[in-house]
Amino acid sequence: MACPFHQSAELNPALLALDWLLGVWESDEPGEGSFSSIPPFRYNETLHFSHVGQPVINFMFNAFHTENKKPMHRECGFIRIQPGGNRVAFIIAQNSGLVEIEEGDLTGQQLTLHTHALARTSFAKEPHVQQISRVFQLRPDGKLEQTVSMAMEGGPLMQHLHVTYRRSS
């Protein structure tokens, strides 16, 4: 699948530290999801990271059920890096009605993010997510690894998702 964002523009110099994310990534093996309130599950996911020359990365994440291939979770948004620093912000809209800002630090080829702000539709399903953290890491073998942890109302932060991707373009 071709990346849905125009990528012929020159990369903005502000994004050089994040250029390792750019491209299309597909889950190498099915990702694994679990949480105390739901049964464990497996999924496939495609990540699109692109740019249009602005000092921001556009992204779209699409997860699919491993067996029946039906669409599952969707996220899209933007990644910004603080000029002259290593602070990074993910601005995310999810198909579940959750909108979030995650902020964190870029250390080499690892990005560690934590909830800065959350908003949701007035009719979002309960229990409500209260906190999210995620880590992206480019491994020495060239694969991208993502781990997402989540806390619901009144609960601790727990690992929710773990998946490894291979670059497909």
Side-chain angles (χ1 to χ4, degrees), residues 2-165:
C3 188
F5 302 112
H6 185 262
Q7 209 163 335
S8 64
E10 188 173 323
L11 182 66
N12 188 293
L15 299 177
L16 287 173
L18 290 168
D19 68 351
W20 53 273
L21 273 177
L22 294 171
V24 178
W25 299 83
E26 295 183 28
S27 47
D28 196 38
E29 296 287 329
E32 296 181 358
S34 62
F35 204 73
S36 59
S37 59
I38 58 173
F41 62 93
R42 293 169 60 83
Y43 64 99
N44 292 315
E45 188 171 38
T46 302
L47 312 180
H48 297 266
F49 293 100
S50 64
H51 71 93
V52 293
Q54 297 175 322
V56 64
I57 291 176
N58 307 303
F59 71 85
M60 187 173 11
F61 301 168
N62 298 304
F64 299 88
H65 191 275
T66 302
E67 282 86 39
N68 64 24
K69 311 295 186 225
K70 288 186 178 179
M72 293 172 64
H73 192 77
R74 300 279 195 258
E75 297 183 1
C76 63
F78 306 95
I79 305 169
R80 299 184 59 86
I81 188 164
Q82 183 181 34
N86 69 333
R87 294 290 295 167
V88 176
F90 265 51
I91 301 105
I92 305 167
Q94 299 185 21
N95 65 336
S96 63
L98 186 67
V99 178
E100 60 177 308
I101 297 174
E102 296 175 13
E103 291 188 4
D105 296 313
L106 175 64
T107 306
Q109 293 179 325
Q110 179 172 310
L111 188 53
T112 304
L113 302 154
H114 304 282
T115 299
H116 175 72
L118 285 174
R120 64 183 54 82
T121 59
S122 62
F123 49 89
K125 188 169 76 171
E126 294 184 12
H128 293 149
V129 174
Q130 295 298 309
Q131 184 181 1
I132 296 173
S133 71
R134 76 178 75 213
V135 176
F136 284 99
Q137 180 171 357
L138 185 62
R139 300 186 335 193
D141 64 2
K143 293 183 179 181
L144 182 66
E145 189 171 14
Q146 179 182 200
T147 302
V148 177
S149 297
M150 186 170 68
M152 304 300 260
E153 286 176 316
L157 191 64
M158 300 172 54
Q159 183 173 311
H160 175 49
L161 304 171
H162 181 262
V163 61
T164 302
Y165 311 92

